[in-house]
Amino acid sequence: MRWLVVGGGAREHAIALALARAGAEVAVASSQANPGLERLAAISSRTEPTDAEAVVAFATRAGARAAVVGPEAPLARGVSDALRAAGVPTVGPEREAARLESSKVYCRELLARRGVPGQPRFATPTTPEEVDRAVPSFEGRFVVKPDGLTAGKGVRVAGADFADPREGAVYAKALLVQGERVVLEEQLEGEEFSQMAFVTDSGIYPMPAVQDYKRALEGDTGGNTGGMGSYSQRDHLLPFLSSADRDRALGILEKSVAAIRAEGRSYRGVLYGGFMMTARGPFLLELNVRFGDPEGINALTLYEEGDFSELLLGVAQGRVDPNLLRFRLRATVVKYLVPPGYGGRATGGGVVSLDEAAIEADGVHVVYGAVEAAGPGTVRLGTSRGLALVGEASAIHEAGTRVESALRHVSGSFYVRHDIGTAADLERRRERMRQLLAPGARASPLPLSVAAPDAPPSSAGPPEQLAG
Ligand code: AMP
Ligand code: GLY
């Protein structure tokens, strides 16, 4: 069968690769020509993914039987509503449900109203006076978030982005003056992780947990980015995430879906919780209504058994066969090659040469992002994340070593975080978690009311043992 993939980045390339492995054909609607997608697609069109009318017209012309919408912006603009109205079953929530991601105010207020656990304390001030009244209650430890889609770049965190609470207040007031709404929330301490799930009419179906590296530079320094790379662990947990805590996170996602349903909305697609694993359990930082990028690349790489096309069609139609949820028990590491300066002022235009056959021979896959073809074996970088290399092994650090080794087949001017998924980096994260959990660690006065999880069981297993 033929699928329409909306969007042209690495996440969409990974979706298309998984569909192609299942024998499906792919039609691609994207604003730029992604060399990986162009090579794979039966038909493609330079169509603006947020232009619902143009996307529907292309779906019809391409003879697509179903569609999957990759990025958040088309979902926020109602592209899945338009596709469904045209009779195309679609993976991606309707516009009103996509507000869970496109409006942080809507999301927090809805989840609070419906009693969804795992929420940090927050305020949604609407005037400068309300900002001044709210700020002292956070005792200097808070985060300021603009309401709308900012690709993770508008959020400012105490300590990292502002030293004095007054600076945070000034930023919040400036957003209000610009007509933007704003969320102030309690600053949480811990390790971040991403938990994605397929959502159907009858329940949620989890994917492996993933940790994304958001900061541009090694050692988690530098600016916030869309994600420089990510890893997943063989047992689908993470070095600092137990099976019980993952189930609590899934419980939070399930209750979030119940909350949006209680508003009269349907949800067929992917829901992705950005969580902070804290000493008080997992807390929700944000909800996204799509696959993560790069997190989706980790999960989709692990989907090789079963039929991905059938699974996605089930999601689009609201009902899946749980036997199709087959992610291999392997660890993965994704590393993005980005233009120099990415995360600050990126210098695009550099040419990168790669010997893809040699990389694949090393057991590493190339997923194409924001690059354009520049001749045989060469691509030109834009100002965003360029190429993702994905390695797989039984342990995370081995998967990372595979990617590092494959980098010898790539040359040009680019930056890559070499510390993603190394044994030393994973140990640092475990140690940070141990310190947070240690008796006498700064206890928070806020209660956590995560109810007993009623989520599907996760694949439990011993934490990954690292050699050295
Ligand atoms: P968001 O777009 O809401 O995921 O925020 C972007 C980044 O800001 C997250 O990946 C975290 O690193 C950080 N962040 C967001 N909310 C909080 C919070 N409540 N406490 C600490 N850090 C946060
Ligand atoms: N990796 C972060 C995101 O997909 O939003």
Side-chain angles (χ1 to χ4, degrees):
M1 81 170 254
R2 182 170 286 186
W3 277 85
L4 171 67
V5 174
V6 180
R11 164 186 42 215
E12 290 74 33
H13 188 205
I15 295 169
L17 285 166
L19 286 170
R21 284 198 298 274
E25 282 189 359
V26 170
V28 179
S30 83
S31 49
Q32 75 283 351
N34 174 318
L37 281 167
E38 290 300 305
R39 191 165 67 192
L40 183 152
I43 172 172
S44 79
S45 156
R46 293 296 70 77
T47 296
E48 186 48 56
T50 53
D51 182 342
E53 215 174 293
V55 169
V56 170
F58 176 61
T60 308
R61 181 155 66 83
R65 286 253 326 273
V68 49
V69 181
E72 58 275 24
L75 293 167
R77 298 283 285 273
V79 166
S80 52
D81 310 55
L83 284 164
R84 279 193 196 101
V88 183
T90 298
V91 178
E94 58 181 280
R95 178 187 191 142
E96 272 300 304
R99 288 178 70 202
L100 287 173
E101 175 168 0
S102 63
S103 170
K104 289 182 193 292
V105 171
Y106 172 79
C107 180
R108 284 282 183 234
E109 289 182 343
L110 170 68
L111 301 191
R113 193 166 70 244
R114 297 280 176 190
V116 177
Q119 310 301 312
R121 206 157 52 82
F122 72 96
T124 51
T126 54
T127 63
E129 295 70 32
E130 285 178 12
V131 172
D132 285 331
R133 273 202 296 279
V135 162
S137 72
F138 294 106
E139 298 172 349
R141 303 187 54 75
F142 65 105
V143 178
V144 184
K145 301 183 171 187
D147 182 52
L149 296 175
T150 60
K153 287 158 199 152
V155 174
R156 296 211 187 152
V157 180
D161 304 305
F162 57 87
D164 187 317
R166 277 171 299 191
E167 283 177 57
V170 166
Y171 177 53
K173 289 178 196 173
L175 290 170
L176 289 176
V177 167
Q178 287 163 28
E180 178 68 279
R181 293 197 294 168
V182 57
V183 179
L184 303 182
E185 65 187 39
E186 170 197 1
Q187 183 177 5
L188 298 164
E189 248 184 285
E191 282 294 320
E192 281 182 54
F193 68 96
S194 305
Q195 178 63 60
M196 299 176 287
F198 295 105
V199 181
T200 68
D201 297 348
S202 53
I204 72 165
Y205 300 89
M207 295 181 229
V210 181
Q211 187 170 38
D212 177 24
Y213 287 58
K214 293 215 153 76
R215 295 278 171 177
L217 306 177
E218 294 191 1
D220 288 336
T221 57
N224 246 324
T225 72
M228 295 294 295
S230 46
Y231 68 80
S232 70
Q233 185 168 283
R234 184 187 56 217
D235 57 7
H236 300 172
L237 301 172
L238 295 167
F240 53 86
L241 182 70
S242 70
S243 165
D245 282 323
R246 187 175 103 122
D247 286 349
R248 295 171 104 191
L250 289 170
I252 292 167
L253 289 186
E254 278 205 322
K255 292 183 176 74
S256 302
V257 171
I260 197 80
R261 287 237 168 79
E263 298 288 297
R265 304 291 157 203
S266 82
Y267 199 115
R268 294 174 176 179
V270 172
L271 184 64
Y272 144 13
F275 288 93
M276 185 77 88
M277 184 59 215
T278 75
R280 296 175 287 150
F283 275 68
L284 189 68
L285 298 183
E286 63 169 349
L287 283 176
N288 295 319
V289 296
R290 51 175 173 82
F291 288 104
D293 184 354
E295 297 95 320
I297 302 175
N298 299 80
L300 292 164
T301 298
L302 289 172
Y303 196 91
E304 249 167 36
E305 297 166 33
D307 185 337
F308 189 64
S309 176
E310 200 183 332
L311 171 66
L312 270 199
L313 185 62
V315 174
Q317 293 173 334
R319 187 163 301 277
V320 304
D321 172 357
N323 292 322
L324 289 171
L325 264 290
R326 288 166 53 179
F327 294 96
R328 281 174 295 123
L329 291 167
R330 298 273 284 166
T332 59
V333 166
V334 174
K335 297 195 187 205
Y336 255 120
L337 277 59
V338 301
Y342 178 70
R345 206 163 288 157
T347 318
V351 166
V352 171
S353 306
L354 65 161
D355 183 344
E356 204 171 339
I359 296 171
E360 294 280 341
D362 280 358
V364 171
H365 307 300
V366 184
V367 184
Y368 286 74
V371 292
E372 56 181 49
T378 55
V379 293
R380 193 180 310 283
L381 293 174
T383 53
S384 197
R385 295 172 293 176
L387 296 170
L389 297 189
V390 199
E392 192 187 309
S394 56
I396 299 163
H397 66 291
E398 287 167 7
T401 304
R402 290 201 170 175
V403 174
E404 287 294 319
S405 162
L407 280 170
R408 73 187 187 283
H409 304 302
V410 187
S411 60
S413 175
F414 60 84
Y415 176 75
V416 62
R417 266 187 74 167
H418 297 294
D419 63 341
I420 294 171
T422 60
D425 182 77
L426 299 177
E427 184 47 35
R428 229 182 351 260
R429 290 169 194 281
R430 263 201 219 91
E431 179 54 29
R432 265 212 302 264
M433 210 58 227
R434 271 196 290 271
Q435 281 176 11
L436 270 183
L437 292 168
R442 188 182 175 278
S444 166
L446 298 164
L448 172 66
S449 56
V450 175
D454 48 4
S458 63
S459 49
E464 171 165 321
Q465 296 301 313
L466 292 178

